Amino acid sequence: MNSYSIYNISSNIAGFILLGFPCHRENQILLFSLFFIIYILTLLWNGAIICAVVWDQKLQTPMYVLLANFSFLEIWYVTTIIPNMLVNILSETKIISFSGCFIQFYFFFSFGVTECFFLAIMAFDRYLAICRPLHYPTIMTERLCTNLMISCWLLGFFWFLVPIIIISQMSFCDPKIIDHFVCDPGPLLALMCTPAPMMELTCSTLSCLNLFAPFGFIMGSYALVLRAVLRVPSVAGRRKAFSTCGSHLAVVSLFYGSVMVMYVKPASGNDSGTQKIVTLFYSVVTPFLNPMIYSLRNREMKEALRKVLGRRELAS
């Protein structure tokens, strides 16, 4: 569909047009197949980690319980994006309803905010385990672990609620075309009939707080962890500590390294191509890679995953 027909359609609809990845039909089918495979593998890998933690009694510790909840979060995070993206790739009109757009906007950001807080409490757990090993069982109790996880979910789902409600009440001018594959605040704010600098500032401030506060906490925790690890006399002990923290640091680097590019100034600064690539990386690629990162260097998790796969083979 050419740009002229898209413009005409956008002038006569109540919702928006998500351009997604405009390209030839053959390339669209290729993109559909690629994202579909990534989505299925992401569900399987994260689901396997959840099953491993649930079924293996040796993994019933705060570190692995947090990891299982993180995998559960990742499943829902990619589900807010990829199914709609797959439909959009094959669609001729690429229309998304007004309510559908803002529902996706809300859940996409809520899960993203929740992920930031989850990464922070996972760093806190590693800090306690390495820097306060004798007090770890009495501090990181099942009750505290549960309360921290509940707090992450509550903060995530209330963090952007008011701004999203306010933005949804504003008027948007034609052409209602969003040059993205997800309902993102930058393109949405750009479509407003009346400029809203205060709303842009509010979104930017909330994004900065959500990104830099947990990230600063994570970096502070790992600075203390690094200091404690370097004091360990044995090489084997240092290697084990670094191995325990390395996976989490890799996930933090992948997620924060890309997401900080996007949402410090959501309404400006990046062209649409860059926005799509960076958003794809932190919202699709990292949830796909995270289960492999957490399992490849973790002997206990690898053994538990083998048991899970063994059960599936027996069941089949």
Side-chain angles (χ1 to χ4, degrees):
M1 181 176 291
N2 58 45
S3 58
Y4 179 76
S5 57
I6 289 177
Y7 184 92
N8 286 338
I9 291 174
S10 68
S11 302
N12 299 304
I13 62 172
F16 301 94
I17 288 180
L18 275 176
L19 284 185
F21 304 94
C23 55
H24 293 296
R25 188 66 178 176
E26 295 79 9
N27 293 332
Q28 288 178 337
I29 294 173
L30 182 63
L31 283 174
F32 178 92
S33 303
L34 175 64
F35 291 136
F36 180 76
I37 292 171
I38 289 175
Y39 180 56
I40 296 301
L41 291 177
T42 302
L43 297 184
L44 291 175
W45 270 112
N46 283 286
I49 286 179
I50 294 171
C51 292
V53 174
V54 171
W55 290 341
D56 195 324
Q57 291 297 318
K58 290 190 295 184
L59 301 185
Q60 299 294 316
T61 63
M63 182 179 81
Y64 291 110
V65 170
L66 288 171
L67 178 58
N69 277 270
F70 185 74
S71 293
F72 178 75
L73 168 64
E74 295 281 61
I75 288 173
W76 286 106
Y77 191 33
V78 295
T79 301
T80 63
I81 305 166
I82 297 184
N84 183 76
M85 184 168 62
L86 293 175
V87 172
N88 181 271
I89 288 173
L90 299 182
S91 171
E92 290 292 331
T93 59
K94 304 187 182 302
I95 295 173
I96 184 170
S97 67
F98 187 87
S99 59
C101 183
F102 278 94
I103 288 172
Q104 184 189 58
F105 183 5
Y106 172 68
F107 282 102
F108 177 57
F109 267 80
S110 296
F111 288 124
V113 172
T114 305
E115 180 157 340
C116 290
F117 289 118
F118 252 101
L119 289 172
I121 64 171
M122 291 168 80
F124 175 64
D125 175 73
R126 292 301 82 208
Y127 160 76
L128 290 178
I130 293 173
C131 298
R132 298 288 186 271
L134 298 178
H135 300 93
Y136 180 77
T138 58
I139 297 175
M140 185 55 79
T141 60
E142 182 179 345
R143 181 177 180 180
L144 177 61
C145 185
T146 302
N147 288 339
L148 287 173
M149 290 188 294
I150 292 173
S151 298
C152 287
W153 286 100
L154 291 177
L155 280 170
F157 277 81
F158 281 101
W159 194 264
F160 266 99
L161 180 60
V162 174
I164 290 174
I165 291 174
I166 294 173
I167 294 172
S168 68
Q169 303 303 311
M170 295 182 174
S171 57
F172 298 88
C173 293
D174 295 330
K176 300 186 185 72
I177 299 174
I178 300 174
D179 191 6
H180 213 312
F181 61 86
V182 64
C183 287
D184 196 67
L188 278 172
L189 292 171
L191 291 177
M192 287 183 181
C193 297
T194 305
M198 285 304 298
M199 183 52 60
E200 292 183 18
L201 179 62
T202 300
C203 289
S204 180
T205 302
L206 288 174
S207 296
C208 286
L209 285 173
N210 171 240
L211 290 173
F212 289 108
F215 183 72
F217 181 84
I218 292 169
M219 291 298 100
S221 298
Y222 276 110
L224 296 174
V225 167
L226 179 62
R227 187 178 69 174
V229 170
L230 292 177
R231 291 177 178 174
V232 176
S234 67
V235 176
R238 288 197 298 269
R239 186 181 295 114
K240 182 178 180 181
F242 279 126
S243 177
T244 302
C245 300
S247 299
H248 184 250
L249 273 175
V251 171
V252 169
S253 300
L254 285 173
F255 181 76
Y256 276 98
S258 55
V259 79
M260 282 182 176
V261 176
M262 291 295 298
Y263 295 114
V264 175
K265 296 178 69 176
S268 61
N270 300 302
D271 61 76
S272 60
T274 303
Q275 288 180 346
K276 292 176 187 178
I277 292 171
V278 176
T279 305
L280 266 179
F281 190 80
Y282 73 77
S283 64
V284 176
V285 176
T286 56
F288 169 70
L289 295 176
N290 287 348
M292 290 181 279
I293 293 172
Y294 276 117
S295 60
L296 285 177
R297 297 185 64 185
N298 189 308
R299 182 176 56 82
E300 291 178 328
M301 180 56 69
K302 284 192 288 188
E303 290 177 358
L305 287 173
R306 288 193 192 100
K307 292 178 183 178
V308 170
L309 295 175
R311 291 190 183 192
R312 287 183 176 177
E313 290 176 0
L314 290 174
S316 62

